Amino acid sequence: MVVRESTSSDVVVVGAGMVAHRFVESLRRGGQGGPTVTVIGEEGRAPYDRVGLTSYFTGMSTDDLTLDERVLQDHGVRFIGDDRVTGIDRSRRSVRTRSGSEHTYGTLVLATGSFAMRPAVDGADLPGCFVYRTLDDVAAIRSYVALRTVALGRPLRGTVIGGGLLGLEAAGALQGLDVQCSVVQSSDRLMSAQLDQAGGAILRRLIEAKGIAVHTGARTTRLDPDASGAVAALQFQDGSMRSTDLVIFTVGVRPQDSLARLAQLAVHPSGGVLIDSRCRTADENILAIGEVASFDGRSVGLVAPGYAMAEVAATRLLGGDATFPGYDDAAKLKLSGVDVASFGDAMAATPNALDVVYTDPVNGVYKKLVLSDDAKTLLGGILVGDASAYGSLRPLVGAPLGADPAAYLLPAGGMSLPDSELPDDAVVCSCSNVTAGRIRAAVHTEGCADAAAVKACTRAGATCGSCMFSVKKLVGQELTKLGQTTSDALCEHFAMSRRQLFDAVRVSELSTFSSIISRFGSGRGCDICKPALASILAVLVGAHVLDGENAALQDTNDHVMANMQKDGTYSVVPRMPGGEVTPAGLIAIGHIAETYGLYTKITGGQRIDMFGARLEQLPQIWQRLVDAGFESGQAYGKALRTVKSCVGSTWCRYGVLDAVGMAVRLELRYRGLRSPHKLKVGVSGCARECAEARSKDVGVIATENGWNMYVGGNGGFSPRHAELLVSDLDDEGLIRAIDRFFMYYIRTADRLQRTAGWCTELDGGLEGLREVIFDDSLGICDDLDAAMSAHVDRYEDEWAATLRDPVKLRRFESFLNATDTPDPSLAYVAERGQVRPATVEERAGESVLIAGTTLEVRR
């Protein structure tokens, strides 16, 4: 065979899944000087989040699921996709691929994962039968559902064979596609590997309450096609038949160990490459990690043990000492409205173990803790219907419980939970194997001051997020030890958080700062609480920012409704909804800028910014802008800034929907809306995303089925892509969703907290947010709708109102009793046909232009 390519690396990784990605990330963490790595993946795409596959059905794209691409773009890493390793030559330390390439290695790492099994029954390969393992699988399922629904002219009937974690997630995904779904389980209960009989019974009731039929003790023996050849029915062992239009098999996985077998490595009879605690195979130069590996006679299809193996392998290759401690079988179901978790010795297999059980069949709750025979050490547990204690209990496995077990089991308010500390070796994040000691070190020695910083530093909570409650609690404890306050008080004058203060003002209906601080605070206020309360009052009362006491609360920019620049002048930004402006409007802006000698620039928000206006010129400039039909763009406020858009379907041949029309509608609706931080929106008319909507607080992207709504994005110092909240909305549904999202954020966010940070800290994450906005889980949707309606009804352009009020206009005088005297300290130099502030050195030169009168602003 001709060798088409030959390479040599310190490490060759076979497989490009989540575990391989984590291994490379850990191995190359030090950057320069680390081992060179070649990663060979069979799929034609970069590593992606296989744990989050179900979110593909709610609108997340392949890009959304792709793992950090910078890992495989490292200078010491080469990634080869869409190629399969076909053989290992152990004597030559090389691997051969399908394409004919050969790659030699110092160390070979097998991270080939596992493959989804299909039952050995007739018809298992019929059209309409799928497994649930890869992005291609879920894409094929979604496409088949859409096409088959049209072909049959009715909702489909779907069957998931296998009632474990993955099967229930798949059932939820099908239900989200409007498929009438059933789950068929061969054992006597759902999630039989994680739940006991009682827990399985409660779970069944919860699943059936969601409209998903459950059949246990049912073994499929045959699948039959219809006239078109597609699957149409299945037969059970008892001879009964069931009609179906689609089948998903989630009956387990087997290690992808064929390469190891061909290379004559030791393999467990039931599958999996045998490894020791160092992740070494029978060949010292070959490691195996993840689902392909068999340790202590087991191969486990969970990501957390794979990550732990990846860390062990990387640490040892870098000269460190680490061993794989064994499998962590903790599992948590990701299905909306069904809360299930299992951890440790959930089945009480430990000799003399004790069970402490709380059950409430009426409300669908079952909780069990498994304790040592002295009832002191936590061994495991099962939580069904209410898994809120999972984050607190999971790290305590193998450690003293520290309290009456009933404190963790009884409904809220029954008993107080203990406030004891976790031991350093307690694993807080099982996905990334992060211990309490590691988190403490991040706080004490690496300067992490909040849970977000710890997450970035240690990766605790970066995979499934279920441990973030424990991470936050632990960080708070350590900050307290350091003498750093963890209070959420707004400032020294208000013991309340911003959220609490917002509610207090709303309920009390107080409308002035003095009355609010008198009732809820102390002292005279500060530059923290005053602007925060000004924002709250703007939302709840709607008064002008310069009315009465409000004027004294504003910061520098709001005080004069313009952004101060480095030389003490101000910028003027008229609103241009959706980036749309008429030729007459452009001409008017040009005349104004020319008259007052202003520097002009197109902003990233698709509007024109005019720089260099003096304080006393602001009313004159704004009078001309208002006369030309413009209003304040509020670039100075913590409020809606812009709604950026592409041209959409009105001009672009790729446009699907009218992006400009929607952007204009949104900007005119939310203009003037004050919030804890600035708000930006983007609207793209198709998936090409020319408006960069996913970098905004709210991103709207058109599809052939309607609008997809993304939330929580921002640029800046810590850029973050917005995440999909909901897909396929019509115009009214989109506006209602944005209304509620903005108002819920305004009510509950901390001072100066962007939507990105707020979304990550919400209880229940995005799923919890969906439940609030679409399911009205808190019963506040009517209030949110009414609040936004009130804002829209009472909107008034701040500058137009100011120009009508002589009292407000007095603020725009540069010197007392001198309404037309310019500031003599202003100086400028010409550059590229405009002017800019002069530097200190330039001020000494003859080319400097000194600010003069209105018509001679540059001499």
Side-chain angles (χ1 to χ4, degrees), residues 694-748:
R694 291 196 59 199
S695 65
K696 305 295 188 279
D697 297 279
V698 170
V700 179
I701 301 177
T703 72
E704 293 181 351
N705 297 320
W707 301 103
N708 285 359
M709 177 180 167
Y710 295 78
V711 297
N714 65 240
F717 185 77
S718 300
R720 183 178 185 271
H721 261 125
E723 296 182 73
L724 182 70
L725 182 69
V726 64
S727 56
D728 302 339
L729 293 172
D730 61 19
D731 290 3
E732 298 308 317
L734 173 67
I735 290 172
R736 182 165 55 251
I738 299 176
D739 281 359
R740 293 174 180 178
F741 173 78
F742 276 159
M743 276 302 171
Y744 188 47
Y745 160 69
I746 289 168
R747 283 191 174 194
T748 62

Side-chain angles (χ1 to χ4, degrees), residues 556-567:
T556 302
N557 292 335
D558 280 294
H559 192 70
V560 294
M561 300 185 297
N563 279 338
M564 178 179 282
Q565 304 303 313
K566 60 186 292 184
D567 65 345

Side-chain angles (χ1 to χ4, degrees), residues 1-7 40 78 80 83-87 94-104:
M1 182 177 182
V2 177
V3 177
R4 297 184 178 180
E5 180 183 20
S6 179
T7 68
I40 306 171
R78 184 183 186 205
I80 301 170
D83 203 2
R84 179 169 57 87
V85 174
T86 57
S94 69
V95 298
R96 185 72 64 93
T97 70
R98 178 179 55 199
S99 66
S101 300
E102 185 177 34
H103 306 274
T104 61

Side-chain angles (χ1 to χ4, degrees), residues 495-614:
M496 301 177 179
S497 65
R498 181 198 173 275
R499 176 177 184 168
Q500 292 168 329
L501 189 58
F502 188 101
D503 288 338
V505 175
R506 179 172 60 87
V507 173
S508 67
E509 298 184 342
L510 298 176
S511 60
T512 64
F513 179 82
S514 58
S515 62
I516 293 168
I517 198 168
S518 174
R519 181 167 177 179
F520 301 116
S522 61
R524 302 176 63 182
C526 62
D527 58 358
I528 294 176
C529 61
K530 285 183 177 180
L533 262 172
S535 174
I536 291 172
L537 289 172
V539 174
L540 294 177
V541 180
H544 194 288
V545 293
L546 300 184
D547 273 347
E549 289 186 15
N550 285 346
L553 306 180
Q554 311 299 333
D555 62 19
T556 302
N557 292 335
D558 280 294
H559 192 70
V560 294
M561 300 185 297
N563 279 338
M564 178 179 282
Q565 304 303 313
K566 60 186 292 184
D567 65 345
T569 60
Y570 297 87
S571 66
V572 174
V573 188
R575 185 173 300 285
M576 296 179 179
E580 191 177 69
V581 60
T582 65
L586 287 172
I587 292 170
I589 288 175
H591 284 323
I592 292 168
E594 188 175 48
T595 299
Y596 293 92
L598 306 177
Y599 170 85
T600 56
K601 189 179 186 306
I602 306 295
T603 73
Q606 297 181 333
R607 52 189 184 180
I608 298 174
D609 203 339
M610 294 176 277
F611 294 83
R614 301 193 305 272

Side-chain angles (χ1 to χ4, degrees), residues 31 159 560 562 614 772 821 825:
T159 303
V560 294
R614 301 193 305 272
V772 171
T821 303
S825 67

Side-chain angles (χ1 to χ4, degrees), residues 22-23 26-27 275-280 287 289 305-326 433:
R22 172 57 63 87
F23 169 76
S26 301
L27 193 65
I275 62 168
D276 61 16
S277 62
R278 302 171 300 162
C279 296
R280 294 278 179 188
L287 310 180
I289 57 178
Y307 278 175
M309 291 180 185
E311 295 285 351
V312 169
T315 299
R316 296 195 72 90
L317 285 177
L318 292 172
D321 184 23
T323 56
F324 180 59
N433 197 32

Side-chain angles (χ1 to χ4, degrees), residues 1-170:
M1 182 177 182
V2 177
V3 177
R4 297 184 178 180
E5 180 183 20
S6 179
T7 68
S8 178
S9 300
D10 296 328
V11 179
V12 171
V13 182
V14 182
M18 296 177 71
V19 172
H21 183 274
R22 172 57 63 87
F23 169 76
V24 176
E25 182 181 23
S26 301
L27 193 65
R28 295 292 306 175
R29 195 175 295 157
Q32 298 283 348
T36 58
V37 184
T38 296
V39 180
I40 306 171
E42 187 172 351
E43 291 187 68
R45 53 171 57 93
Y48 56 88
D49 180 10
R50 202 181 300 272
V51 175
L53 275 182
T54 300
S55 60
Y56 183 81
F57 291 103
T58 61
M60 288 191 74
S61 67
T62 55
D63 288 342
D64 297 328
L65 291 169
T66 299
L67 300 178
D68 188 352
E69 295 180 286
R70 294 171 297 180
V71 171
L72 299 189
Q73 292 168 354
D74 183 281
H75 69 281
V77 179
R78 184 183 186 205
F79 172 56
I80 301 170
D82 198 22
D83 203 2
R84 179 169 57 87
V85 174
T86 57
I88 303 170
D89 189 331
R90 292 166 58 186
S91 62
R92 298 181 62 229
R93 292 194 190 180
S94 69
V95 298
R96 185 72 64 93
T97 70
R98 178 179 55 199
S99 66
S101 300
E102 185 177 34
H103 306 274
T104 61
Y105 59 82
T107 298
L108 178 66
V109 179
L110 299 179
T112 48
S114 58
F115 63 91
M117 295 191 297
R118 292 176 185 250
V121 298
D122 291 341
D125 292 319
L126 287 171
C129 294
F130 301 90
V131 293
Y132 199 87
R133 182 67 180 163
T134 68
L135 267 172
D136 289 339
D137 293 333
V138 294
I141 292 169
R142 188 167 72 174
S143 177
Y144 187 86
V145 168
L147 294 173
R148 195 67 174 157
T149 300
V150 172
L152 296 178
R154 58 169 173 78
L156 299 190
R157 297 161 298 190
T159 303
V160 176
I161 299 180
L165 276 169
L166 192 60
L168 294 179
E169 285 190 34

Side-chain angles (χ1 to χ4, degrees), residues 353-365:
L354 304 176
D355 290 355
V356 180
V357 176
Y358 169 82
T359 182
D360 180 0
V362 174
N363 292 306
V365 176

